Amino acid sequence: MSSSSSSPLFIASLIICWYSSNIGVLLLNKFLLSNYNFRFPIFLTMCHMSACAVLSYVSIVFLKVFPLQQIKSRSQLLRIATLSIVFCGSVVGGNISLRYLPVSFNQAVGATTPFFTAVFAYMMTFKREAWVTYAALVPVVTGVVIASGGEPSFHLYGFIMCISATAARAFKSVLQGILLSSEGEKLNSMNLLLYMSPIAVLVLLPATLIMEPDVLEVTVSLGMKHRFMWLLLGINSVAAYLANLSNFLVTKHTSALTLQVLGNAKGAVAVVISILLFKNPVTLIGIGGYTMTVMGVVAYGEAKRRLK
């Protein structure tokens, strides 16, 4: 690693980009789906995946920012396609939930990802953690239960979609570890995105046409009514790629512990900004529940790190 790529200024710039793109995508999704009444979460996800497909191809194949990793077999392609479908489900579910839930509650539910990861890891690989690690997951789940009870804008369908998206995200990470476990078939996250995103577009296109048939008509109408609509949609789609790119670079240039701490803080920053921006009502019970969840996630990460 060169001195320039490990300098504090370079790493700080990466972290700012990571936070800005991740939180930006989240807030723009909410803004489009709720404030603009852009009620097409599947089409929105397809826009994200289209941008990821094009920009991944340009950065890897043309600009050679990252070395291209070739797919070596048809079975490997099938495994990547399976991951892509699960990934689609998690992103679409998350976007649907943002139509009905405030970002703050969406992030509280999303923080339970380690719980679902531990469950799926045990169910699919029989991998057991130490009892201390499982004990740390109790406040993670309890916090969300408390936050749900204290959420003024609670919506059952939105909550189900958010939980489903969180579970699908955890399922994808466990599945990825199983399907792409051999050394010859491992792909870095940018090459995986290069192959997953076009498959995702192929899956989402018919889903959009069947489930959101009036998307083009309404989108054009909204675009004429709100002059920044297309610009926001474009920025949102590019930011979805930048979120993946910056996540890859931050992972590469920082330690696992730094990444864990930054990830936990990112959720809290997103919650504070969303409350200030959207002015959704919050209660002390909701704040207490979310705080308990975050503390549980921190304890879980620390327990895993110490018991490695």
Side-chain angles (χ1 to χ4, degrees), residues 172-214:
K172 184 234 167 197
S173 69
V174 175
L175 194 63
Q176 186 173 326
I178 297 169
L179 297 184
L180 301 177
S181 58
S182 67
E183 282 302 318
E185 294 189 342
K186 277 185 181 174
L187 299 173
N188 67 42
S189 59
M190 296 316 295
N191 273 272
L192 188 59
L193 186 68
L194 171 70
Y195 295 119
M196 280 203 318
S197 42
I199 297 168
V201 172
L202 291 175
V203 171
L204 292 166
L205 181 59
T208 301
L209 294 173
I210 294 165
M211 300 174 75
E212 300 172 345
D214 58 339

Side-chain angles (χ1 to χ4, degrees), residues 32 38 40-55 95 201 204 208 215 219 230 233-234 236-238 240-241:
L32 286 165
F38 183 76
F40 305 110
I42 301 174
F43 177 72
L44 182 62
T45 307
M46 192 178 79
C47 290
H48 290 178
M49 291 297 103
S50 300
C52 287
V54 172
L55 294 172
N95 286 340
V201 172
L204 292 166
T208 301
V215 62
T219 304
W230 292 104
L233 197 56
N236 191 19
S237 300
V238 172
Y241 172 74

Side-chain angles (χ1 to χ4, degrees), residues 3-308:
S3 59
S4 63
S5 67
S6 59
S7 70
L9 183 62
F10 175 76
I11 292 171
S13 301
L14 279 183
I15 292 166
I16 290 167
C17 181
W18 185 42
Y19 269 46
S20 302
S21 55
N22 273 269
I23 296 171
V25 168
L26 188 65
L27 298 179
L28 278 171
N29 284 351
K30 178 63 178 174
F31 196 71
L32 286 165
L33 291 163
S34 295
N35 294 39
Y36 268 44
N37 198 28
F38 183 76
R39 58 182 196 281
F40 305 110
I42 301 174
F43 177 72
L44 182 62
T45 307
M46 192 178 79
C47 290
H48 290 178
M49 291 297 103
S50 300
C52 287
V54 172
L55 294 172
S56 293
Y57 191 81
V58 169
S59 64
I60 293 174
V61 178
F62 284 110
L63 301 179
K64 302 190 188 312
V65 177
F66 311 103
L68 175 66
Q69 294 174 287
Q70 299 283 358
I71 292 178
K72 294 188 168 72
S73 64
R74 184 178 292 181
S75 66
Q76 186 187 14
L77 179 60
L78 283 172
R79 289 196 284 272
I80 291 169
T82 304
L83 285 174
S84 184
I85 292 165
V86 176
F87 181 57
C88 279
S90 71
V91 178
V92 170
N95 286 340
I96 291 171
S97 75
L98 283 172
R99 277 197 69 198
Y100 303 99
L101 298 176
V103 172
S104 52
F105 186 55
N106 175 280
Q107 288 295 284
V109 176
T112 61
T113 302
F115 167 76
F116 288 105
T117 304
V119 170
F120 286 127
Y122 179 72
M123 288 170 61
M124 295 164 70
T125 66
F126 302 105
K127 181 187 174 187
R128 289 190 178 188
E129 304 283 359
W131 71 268
V132 178
T133 310
Y134 288 124
L137 290 171
V138 174
V140 172
V141 178
T142 307
V144 168
V145 173
I146 293 169
S148 302
E151 176 53 56
S153 308
F154 182 83
H155 189 286
L156 183 59
Y157 178 66
F159 177 71
I160 291 169
M161 284 293 103
C162 198
I163 281 283
S164 301
T166 304
R169 193 160 53 242
F171 180 65
K172 184 234 167 197
S173 69
V174 175
L175 194 63
Q176 186 173 326
I178 297 169
L179 297 184
L180 301 177
S181 58
S182 67
E183 282 302 318
E185 294 189 342
K186 277 185 181 174
L187 299 173
N188 67 42
S189 59
M190 296 316 295
N191 273 272
L192 188 59
L193 186 68
L194 171 70
Y195 295 119
M196 280 203 318
S197 42
I199 297 168
V201 172
L202 291 175
V203 171
L204 292 166
L205 181 59
T208 301
L209 294 173
I210 294 165
M211 300 174 75
E212 300 172 345
D214 58 339
V215 62
L216 288 178
E217 183 187 338
V218 176
T219 304
V220 170
S221 173
L222 284 171
M224 292 172 71
K225 187 177 174 184
H226 305 284
R227 57 180 178 163
F228 294 117
M229 167 79 185
W230 292 104
L231 180 63
L232 287 175
L233 197 56
I235 291 171
N236 191 19
S237 300
V238 172
Y241 172 74
L242 290 176
N244 283 283
L245 174 63
S246 56
N247 185 62
F248 172 74
L249 292 173
V250 169
T251 305
K252 184 179 177 182
H253 291 284
T254 62
S255 67
L257 178 61
T258 305
L259 191 70
Q260 180 193 314
V261 172
L262 289 171
N264 292 332
K266 179 166 61 67
V269 171
V271 167
V272 171
I273 293 174
S274 72
I275 291 169
L276 292 172
L277 195 63
F278 296 107
K279 295 180 171 56
N280 56 283
V282 290
T283 63
L284 284 173
I285 294 173
I287 293 169
Y290 178 65
T291 304
M292 183 184 286
T293 294
V294 171
M295 295 304 289
V297 171
V298 171
Y300 172 78
E302 184 63 18
K304 283 202 77 170
R305 190 177 70 85
R306 292 192 176 194
L307 292 167
K308 265 186 179 178

